[in-house]
Structures are given as structure tokens and as C-alpha cells.
Amino acid sequence: MTDHASAADTGHVQPLEPRQLEAYFVLLEAVSLLQHAVEQHLRAEGDISYVQFQLLARLFHAPGPLTMTQLADGVVYSRSGLTYQAGLLEKAGLITRGPCPDDERATRVTLTDAGRDLFHHVLPGHVRLSRRLLFDPLSDDDVDHLGDIMTRVRDHMRAQPPRSAAPRKRRTATPALPAEAAT
Amino acid sequence: MTDHASAADTGHVQPLEPRQLEAYFVLLEAVSLLQHAVEQHLRAEGDISYVQFQLLARLFHAPGPLTMTQLADGVVYSRSGLTYQAGLLEKAGLITRGPCPDDERATRVTLTDAGRDLFHHVLPGHVRLSRRLLFDPLSDDDVDHLGDIMTRVRDHMRAQPPRSAAPRKRRTATPALPAEAAT
DNA sequence: GCTTTTTGCTTCGAATTTGAAGCATGTGAG
DNA sequence: CTCACATGCTTCAAATTCGAAGCAAAAAGC
């Protein structure tokens, strides 16, 4: 565990796996702590959960209204969970759900002015908090590297075959993976 | 500070904040995706949730039994949630709860052989998955840097004053923070 | 044109999570 | 010693989450 050993040595001290595991675990631990803190802050600041904040952020940055599926795909979230949260946000007057002209079954989710206001209300504190918790101990270079790394990781995982949120995306052609849930 | 000095003189293109925000969001998004995938895998492989896996891992790596509080503090988790999960794990025969000789109110949580077996059963696949999802697009150097960065972040946040899980840590003397839950 | 399949979303029930409240033990001050 | 408070854990009700099932619209096949 405490095997720091100046990494510059490039020696084959370890099969890399332990360091990978350590990085993996500390990554999840740190993010978990961060999420918790952020959740508390958002609740206190604007009485919304982090998921709701994410939804508002997605809608805010999108050029126009989004469908439920686009939202659920952006935020990692189950469809039913999104329906629930959208219900809450709509009841709170932060978003509106309406029919989509192109696709009769789709639901167009639109950010209301109140939603935009709320987002603007909580964003500064959110930024401040994330800076204090996450970026305080990091150099500008670290930030760049971190962003670069996680962007690659995200794109890699997004490109990966089947995501949990889309178990029905079974196309007619999936020739290479017949075995499933092998005991 | 790790002064890599690569993007040193590339100009003050942005006030850094946007890049920070981007790094922050992509970090949470990537981890979210990763967690989802891991969750699916653990469920299929050993019929446990990620939280339960974390608990087993903590117990496995600890020199001896841990108390509930130590577990809840390690894993970011509410006390009551931990009680619930410990109940499940105990019912499944993976851990044992017993009294602590030092402290009558504390509960000593011990990993059973079955728990150890299960951990060993799921660990290889877990490692394989994390490597495929997280480390595939990363160089060894990236892994080192990521581990380094996140370790610093974690330690920083652990050192930060009040954590969510400990709202009761109000001492008699708290001179600097009279305001609370300000509306 | 009509059936079959896929897609978008919601409803439903079960599982999980949380914060507040409660209980019992430890700790320190007087 | 005794009281007040802190700590460790659990119970409880309420909120959130997920997956499966269901329904309507669209796309594909024939």
C-alpha cells in the first residue's frame, strides 16, 4: 500500500496491477466524498439533489429542448428514475414536459425561466465548492491532465458495447456474444 | 506540486475556470459510468452490490475486525444505511457482528470465510473489468498521475472540516461558525 | 397495406438510502 | 459519585432508485 517508490525510476517494481487497483479505488473514494459534499451543498443552497442539478445543467447547455431518452443517456440514470425526477422538477416548475412534433411518443423537456434562475443561483456556489474541494490541492497542470484522462475514459466507456441503461438495444446483429451470465 | 511544465507557455487562452468545470463534470460523468458498469458486473458475478463489495474489501484489507463506525467512515455511507447493509451481509453469512471487548456499545464486524471466498471470487473479474473500462485508454504514466492526483484530493477532503456523515460532531466550542442552515 | 419488432415513456412493486429519533454505554466536569 | 453530554448503533418513516411489465407510436419486413 505505502509503496510509493519514486515513480520516475521506471523500474519493474510491480506488475502495475497493484498501482492500477490503488488508483481505481482512490478514484472512486475521492469522487464519492466529493459527491457527498456536493449533494449537501446543493440541498442547502437550492433544495435540489445532485441528479436534479445535472438535469438542469444538461438542459441549460443544450441548444434546445431534450427528450427524456437524451436526458437519461446523458446523465447515467434509469428511465423510470428519470420519469420520477422529471415529475418532481415539473411539479417544482423548473421544467416543462410537452409532446414532440417530430416523434409522437417522445417527450420534449424544456427548461423554464425558474429552472434557469435556479441553475444560475446555485452554480456559483457549486463552482466555488468544487474548486475548494477538488482543485485546491491540484496544480493547473494536474487539472489539465485530469480532464484529459477522464475525457478519454469517458469516451472509451461511451463507445463500449452495452450500457446498463439500454438493455433493449439489442440489434438484429450481435454475432460475437451469445454467452451471457455464465455461471 | 508536480511541475510537469508542458502547457506552460501555451497562452492564457482561458481563465482556467472553464477548464476546471469541464474536468470536474467529465470526472463525475466518467466515474458514474464506471460505477454503473461495475455494479452490473458485481451483481451478475457474485450477487452483491458495489457497496457490499466495498465493505468486504475494507474488511479484507483491514488487519482485524472493524467497528461499524470505522466501516461507515471508510466507505462513504450513512450509519443507518450501513446497519441495513450489515444486516444483509450477516444474513448472507459473509460477515459476523459481535460485541467489542473495549467498548460495550461498539459492534465488531468480522469477515467470515464465506465472505473472504466471495471476495476472492469476484475480485479477478472486478479487476479485469476496471482494467478494460478504466485503464485501457490510459498509459502507465496516466495511471500514476491519476492515482497521485486522486490521492491528494482524497486526503484533502478527508482533512476538510465537517463531513456529512458526522453532523453530530458539534463540540461545545465552535466559535467560528455560528451561522447554520441559513435561509 | 398490414404485421412484427423496436423505441419512448410511464406505472408498478420491491429494494435501498437517508436523516431524525431513540436507546445504551462511555467520558469528563463538578 | 452524579450529572451532563458525547458516541455507537439501531429503528423508523419517507424519499429515491431500479427493473420488469405495460402501452402507444414509429420503423421495418413482407
Side-chain angles (χ1 to χ4, degrees):
Chain A
M1 314 297 187
T2 52
D3 232 333
H4 270 281
S6 54
D9 204 277
T10 72
H12 308 60
V13 270
Q14 285 182 352
L16 181 60
E17 187 174 293
R19 270 184 302 169
Q20 282 187 342
L21 257 190
E22 199 183 337
Y24 164 71
F25 279 122
V26 76
L27 169 67
L28 291 185
E29 182 183 354
V31 169
S32 204
L33 285 165
L34 180 60
Q35 274 189 330
H36 242 257
V38 164
E39 194 103 16
Q40 302 299 319
H41 180 263
L42 283 175
R43 180 69 61 190
E45 192 78 14
D47 202 36
I48 56 174
S49 66
Y50 178 66
V51 179
Q52 295 171 336
F53 173 78
Q54 270 187 307
L55 294 175
L56 295 184
R58 285 267 168 190
L59 286 170
F60 182 79
H61 286 104
L66 296 176
T67 69
M68 295 292 278
T69 293
Q70 287 174 312
L71 271 179
D73 190 44
V75 180
V76 182
Y77 221 63
S78 69
R79 319 277 203 212
S80 49
L82 181 60
T83 296
Y84 176 73
Q85 286 296 342
L88 290 186
L89 290 177
E90 189 173 39
K91 201 181 318 179
L94 303 175
I95 65 170
T96 315
R97 276 185 289 187
C100 181
D102 301 339
D103 196 332
E104 197 62 41
R105 19 181 208 169
T107 300
R108 260 159 56 111
V109 180
T110 313
L111 197 58
T112 66
D113 288 341
R116 231 180 303 273
D117 286 351
L118 180 57
F119 183 69
H120 277 133
H121 175 62
V122 297
L123 187 57
H126 192 101
V127 169
R128 221 175 307 124
L129 180 67
S130 72
R131 188 171 324 164
R132 184 155 54 82
L133 292 181
L134 178 60
F135 297 120
D136 238 38
L138 301 184
S139 70
D140 293 359
D141 223 40
D142 288 332
V143 175
D144 282 348
H145 205 159
L146 179 63
D148 175 47
I149 286 178
M150 295 322 287
T151 300
R152 263 182 289 149
V153 169
R154 181 200 55 184
D155 293 344
H156 176 69
M157 284 195 290
R158 288 275 187 205
Q160 210 73 349
R163 264 205 320 305
S164 69
R168 289 152 75 198
K169 252 174 191 162
R170 203 69 51 72
R171 281 274 169 100
T172 346
T174 314
L177 273 175
E180 183 166 271
T183 52
Chain B
M1 298 293 191
T2 53
D3 223 81
H4 279 279
S6 56
D9 59 333
T10 39
H12 311 59
V13 270
Q14 286 181 352
L16 181 60
E17 187 174 291
R19 270 185 303 171
Q20 282 187 343
L21 256 190
E22 198 183 338
Y24 164 72
F25 280 123
V26 76
L27 169 67
L28 291 185
E29 182 183 354
V31 169
S32 203
L33 285 165
L34 179 60
Q35 275 189 330
H36 243 258
V38 164
E39 195 103 14
Q40 303 297 321
H41 180 262
L42 283 175
R43 180 68 62 192
E45 190 79 15
D47 201 37
I48 55 175
S49 66
Y50 178 66
V51 179
Q52 294 171 336
F53 173 78
Q54 270 187 307
L55 293 174
L56 295 184
R58 284 269 168 187
L59 286 170
F60 183 79
H61 286 104
L66 296 176
T67 69
M68 296 289 279
T69 293
Q70 286 174 312
L71 272 179
D73 191 45
V75 180
V76 182
Y77 221 63
S78 69
R79 319 278 204 215
S80 49
L82 181 61
T83 296
Y84 176 74
Q85 286 296 341
L88 290 185
L89 290 176
E90 190 173 38
K91 202 181 316 178
L94 303 176
I95 64 169
T96 314
R97 275 187 290 187
C100 182
D102 301 340
D103 197 331
E104 196 65 40
R105 21 183 208 167
T107 300
R108 260 159 56 113
V109 180
T110 314
L111 197 60
T112 65
D113 289 341
R116 232 179 303 272
D117 287 351
L118 180 57
F119 183 70
H120 278 133
H121 174 61
V122 297
L123 187 58
H126 192 101
V127 169
R128 220 175 307 124
L129 180 67
S130 71
R131 188 171 324 165
R132 182 156 55 82
L133 293 181
L134 178 61
F135 297 120
D136 238 38
L138 300 185
S139 71
D140 293 0
D141 224 37
D142 289 333
V143 175
D144 282 347
H145 204 160
L146 180 63
D148 176 46
I149 286 177
M150 295 321 288
T151 300
R152 261 182 291 148
V153 170
R154 180 200 54 184
D155 293 345
H156 176 69
M157 283 196 290
R158 289 275 188 203
Q160 209 74 351
R163 266 208 313 308
S164 70
R168 289 151 73 198
K169 253 173 192 164
R170 206 67 50 74
R171 281 276 170 99
T172 344
T174 314
L177 274 174
E180 178 171 279
T183 50

